[in-house]
Amino acid sequence: MSEYLPGLAGVPATKSNISDIDGEKGILAYRGYPIEQLADKSTFEETCMLLLNGKLPTTQELEEFEQRLHSNRRTQFHIRDLMKTFPPSGHPMEMLQTAVASLGMFYPGNECLTGTGACEDLDYIYNMSVKIISRMGTIVAMWEHLRNGYEPPEPRDDLNYAENFLYMFTGKDPDPLMARIMDVCLILHAEHTINASTFSVLVTGSTLASPYSVIAAAIGTLSGPLHGGANQRVLEMLDEIGTPDKVEEYVDKRLAKKEVIWGMGHREYKTKDPRATILEKLVNKVMESQGKNVNPLMELAREVERVCEDRLAHKGVYPNVDFYSGILYNEMGISADQFTAIFAIARSAGWLAHWREQLADNRIFRPTQMYIGEPLRDYVPIELR
Ligand code: COA
């Protein structure tokens, strides 16, 4: 029997041509395009097409895709009614998982998932993908209003994905700089090889479950603090530390108790996550636009980064994507418990690209185990125990 590797570290779970990481050099590329170039030049809509389709779209293809995304932004009133029954104190990730799972009841579509050969019906894949990607943003934005007791605004067809999300989320016309920053955040979070939530996409997708079940499973997986939930924890951690002079003591105490520092470390990267570098620059951009030279949260974060580099660099532990994303969203006025839900909106594109790839060459996931329990033995009647 082969060796058991906890967390399947280093074990290939699939063959994929969607994205790639060079963890030593700190390189991330979607379909071969470096993340820095996509963040600089692309849009979330174009990046969705690149991920789903494997190539950059022509102007006409992009316009058609944007049109399909726009026309799927509205959700049935029943979904809104369902969301009104959720407790306002519920976490946005629990809300999102429940609401996305419910989409399968309102917009069913399993016609391609027959179990007879590969599902390569591009129209079906696109149809389901736009239904989910479009509505993820709507659902997260609607919840921001519903949980505060207000009716959410209707989506607007004259806005791109990021603009419309900010419009629906805040109820105000989006500032162009903030909308572009949100667009870049969505690009940066859209895909990241076979991480835990994407692996759950492969596993659930391999059973030919509906794409709504696939994405609901992935949302649940992303919610954990060792994965996407870390961005919320980073902000809570900075809050708890308070001031830069307390950082060393805080970090050392946690390390002594073998506790992790949130937003640090990655299975793949042994250097600073390239997305963290881009996000850090975006925080500076937001500060500049607000005429701020100093941001106490940023000062604190930089000190955490410095102390962690001193204590953990020899283990290859550096800031990951979640370290600066929470600070950025905080600067944009977004509440901490929504950070991971925004991450999920973006990641739905990568998840669906992997779902498509899995369906094209599917075999149900059914790993094996190393049984370490009792050998076969006879049942003992209760009176003899
Ligand atoms: N704080 C302190 N130590 C950390 C650390 C962190 N955030 N991340 C990793 N380490 C340590 C590990 O404890 C291990 O130490 P050891 O060799 O003495 O046992 C060493 O660094 C190597 O860890 P590694 O095997 O690379 O971690 P992993 O692949 O099992 O776990 C994470 C990866 C992401 C789960 C882990 O880094 C972590 O928990 N980070 C904090 C949560 C987080 O920010 N998650 C978001 C990821 S994008």
Side-chain angles (χ1 to χ4, degrees):
M1 191 179 276
S2 43
E3 190 193 353
Y4 163 59
L5 295 167
L8 300 183
V11 178
T14 191
K15 287 183 180 173
S16 177
N17 53 28
I18 300 171
S19 66
D20 194 27
I21 295 170
D22 181 330
E24 296 298 329
K25 295 190 183 138
I27 296 173
L28 167 64
Y30 298 170
R31 304 280 190 185
Y33 296 104
I35 192 65
E36 291 80 4
Q37 291 183 24
L38 293 170
D40 195 31
K41 298 187 167 74
S42 187
T43 61
F44 179 59
E45 288 87 336
E46 186 184 63
T47 298
C48 288
M49 283 200 86
L50 173 68
L51 292 171
L52 287 168
N53 220 1
K55 60 183 179 66
L56 288 169
T58 62
T59 306
Q60 193 192 338
E61 286 166 343
L62 182 58
E63 279 172 10
E64 278 168 19
F65 184 71
E66 286 169 345
Q67 194 44 48
R68 287 175 83 164
L69 279 176
H70 287 184
S71 59
N72 278 280
R73 277 178 184 162
R74 282 170 182 74
T75 57
Q76 291 199 20
F77 280 110
H78 297 305
I79 294 173
R80 189 179 293 199
D81 292 344
L82 176 74
M83 288 170 66
K84 283 181 183 169
T85 68
F86 298 165
S89 58
H91 194 282
M93 286 297 276
E94 310 276 10
M95 175 287 299
L96 187 61
Q97 188 180 32
T98 313
V100 167
S102 83
L103 292 180
M105 302 182 80
F106 295 105
Y107 310 97
N110 288 359
E111 59 271 19
C112 196
L113 306 174
T114 59
T116 51
C119 169
E120 289 185 284
D121 179 343
L122 193 55
D123 207 51
Y124 167 76
I125 304 270
Y126 256 43
N127 211 356
M128 300 314 282
S129 298
V130 293
K131 276 188 166 62
I132 293 173
I133 296 170
S134 285
R135 291 186 171 93
M136 294 269 292
T138 303
I139 289 168
V140 173
M142 284 203 310
W143 181 240
E144 186 64 9
H145 299 271
L146 291 173
R147 69 174 175 169
N148 289 308
Y150 304 117
E151 281 301 317
E154 286 296 315
R156 268 175 50 187
D157 291 339
D158 59 321
L159 301 176
N160 72 19
Y161 197 103
E163 290 166 344
N164 179 63
F165 173 69
L166 278 182
Y167 165 71
M168 288 194 71
F169 193 87
T170 62
K172 295 183 200 135
D173 275 351
D175 171 82
L177 175 67
M178 295 305 153
R180 177 57 192 155
I181 286 177
M182 178 54 71
D183 201 19
V184 176
C185 287
L186 295 175
I187 295 168
L188 293 179
H189 287 87
E191 160 63 9
H192 210 233
T193 77
I194 302 300
N195 48 76
S197 57
T198 305
F199 185 42
S200 85
V201 164
L202 302 188
V203 174
T204 311
S206 79
T207 71
L208 303 185
S210 84
Y212 304 107
S213 297
V214 169
I215 300 304
I219 292 168
T221 312
L222 184 73
S223 70
L226 294 186
H227 194 7
N231 52 13
Q232 180 178 349
R233 299 291 174 115
V234 169
L235 215 73
E236 290 164 359
M237 172 181 80
L238 296 177
D239 229 36
E240 195 185 332
I241 298 173
T243 49
D245 57 307
K246 306 264 171 48
V247 170
E248 292 206 337
E249 189 193 342
Y250 178 90
V251 168
D252 289 338
K253 261 194 191 157
R254 277 190 77 88
L255 295 182
K257 286 192 275 175
K258 303 237 169 287
E259 290 172 343
V260 292
I261 309 301
W262 302 111
M264 293 284 156
H266 201 278
R267 175 69 57 81
E268 295 289 316
Y269 294 113
K270 298 304 158 208
T271 181
K272 189 164 174 175
D273 183 330
R275 299 166 302 171
T277 307
I278 300 172
L279 287 163
E280 191 180 350
K281 287 185 190 149
L282 291 179
V283 180
N284 292 335
K285 229 178 196 176
V286 174
M287 279 167 54
E288 265 170 42
S289 78
Q290 296 167 343
K292 286 191 202 161
N293 290 329
V294 186
N295 175 331
L297 210 55
M298 203 56 182
E299 303 284 303
L300 190 53
R302 289 216 177 91
E303 180 61 3
V304 173
E305 183 175 352
R306 188 195 67 75
V307 173
C308 285
E309 187 164 351
D310 183 60
R311 313 295 200 265
L312 294 167
H314 67 284
K315 293 185 179 182
V317 174
Y318 290 91
N320 60 47
V321 68
D322 294 315
F323 193 68
Y324 285 107
S325 67
I327 300 173
L328 180 60
Y329 292 144
N330 185 62
E331 281 303 305
M332 295 171 79
I334 296 169
S335 55
D337 66 349
Q338 288 279 23
F339 297 168
T340 319
I342 296 173
F343 185 161
I345 296 172
R347 185 56 58 84
S348 63
W351 288 334
L352 287 157
H354 283 274
W355 173 63
R356 177 185 175 187
E357 205 172 59
Q358 181 64 33
L359 292 184
D361 184 20
N362 190 47
R363 187 172 184 204
I364 190 167
F365 273 86
R366 202 332 179 171
T368 188
Q369 64 172 10
M370 287 180 176
Y371 179 65
I372 54 167
E374 300 290 343
L376 269 186
R377 51 185 171 163
D378 286 325
Y379 178 79
V380 181
I382 198 161
E383 61 280 9
L384 298 180
R385 284 174 220 160

